[in-house]
Amino acid sequence: MIRTLSALAIIVTSTFAIAPAASANEPKLEATFSDWRVYSRGSGGERICYALSSPSSLSPKAVDHGKVFFMVSNWKNGAAKEQPSLMTGYAFKLNSPPNARVGSTKVPMYVSQNEAFVETDGDEARLVKNMRKGSVMRVSAVSERGTATSYEFSLKGVTAATQKAATLCK
């Protein structure tokens, strides 16, 4: 599966810009499902649709985490379907990649600066499937400076949000 790291950084950064959407390249809020929001960006084969959530809790509390998001993304051109990823406001430690856990399912991720992706397509599908069945996802990571961090994401609304994002990019 193709990984579009810089595209995700642009998506998330511009998703929360203060100015209203002015073009097809600006993210458009399509729907909200409890704790998850659905956005689309671009047009034609370049359209990207994604479900996104912020953590309901983060640790340690005394650390500046920056903006933190977990996404499940789809590309209309088929480059990615239901690709889970984590984005934080800090760079990850390269030799200590994050893990996402839903119930007893633990999925390893790999990092590129402040973004983390699931290693294999099979693990991507397994994680999304378990997200839809679970109520909470926990993600643990280590910053470039060596700070152990953890995030808890509510999964309330994730099924409807991921289905909507997939439908928008069919």
Side-chain angles (χ1 to χ4, degrees), residues 35-36 52-58 67-71 85-88 99-102 109 131 134-140 150-156 158:
D35 297 324
W36 287 77
L52 175 138
S53 187
S54 298
S56 53
S57 69
L58 47 86
K67 292 182 179 179
V68 177
F69 306 101
F70 199 90
M71 295 178 282
S85 62
L86 172 71
M87 181 175 279
T88 61
N99 287 294
R101 181 187 300 267
V102 179
M109 303 178 89
M131 288 171 67
S135 60
V136 174
M137 177 175 58
R138 292 175 178 81
V139 180
S140 59
S150 63
Y151 305 100
E152 194 169 279
F153 293 87
S154 165
L155 297 176
K156 187 174 183 183
V158 73

Side-chain angles (χ1 to χ4, degrees), residues 6-166:
S6 60
L8 288 177
I10 293 167
I11 289 168
V12 172
T13 302
S14 57
T15 296
F16 294 94
I18 295 172
S23 72
N25 285 331
E26 295 296 322
K28 176 184 175 192
L29 177 63
E30 298 283 356
T32 300
F33 300 96
S34 297
D35 297 324
W36 287 77
R37 296 174 303 275
V38 178
Y39 291 90
S40 67
R41 178 188 167 122
S43 61
E46 299 303 312
R47 185 175 170 112
I48 301 169
C49 308
Y50 52 99
L52 175 138
S53 187
S54 298
S56 53
S57 69
L58 47 86
S59 178
K61 293 192 185 302
V63 172
D64 180 8
H65 298 261
K67 292 182 179 179
V68 177
F69 306 101
F70 199 90
M71 295 178 282
V72 179
S73 305
N74 299 275
W75 277 251
K76 178 126 176 120
N77 66 13
K81 294 290 182 194
E82 295 195 327
Q83 177 187 38
S85 62
L86 172 71
M87 181 175 279
T88 61
Y90 59 87
F92 294 110
K93 188 171 189 172
L94 291 178
N95 63 352
S96 187
N99 287 294
R101 181 187 300 267
V102 179
S104 62
T105 300
K106 184 177 178 182
V107 176
M109 303 178 89
Y110 71 91
V111 300
S112 176
Q113 298 179 14
N114 67 325
E115 298 171 285
F117 297 88
V118 175
E119 290 278 346
T120 67
D121 292 348
D123 280 345
E124 284 183 343
R126 186 167 56 104
L127 178 58
V128 173
K129 177 182 174 185
N130 282 296
M131 288 171 67
R132 289 177 175 149
K133 292 191 301 186
S135 60
V136 174
M137 177 175 58
R138 292 175 178 81
V139 180
S140 59
V142 178
S143 75
E144 189 174 58
R145 295 180 181 177
T147 304
T149 59
S150 63
Y151 305 100
E152 194 169 279
F153 293 87
S154 165
L155 297 176
K156 187 174 183 183
V158 73
T159 299
T162 55
Q163 289 172 344
K164 176 74 172 180

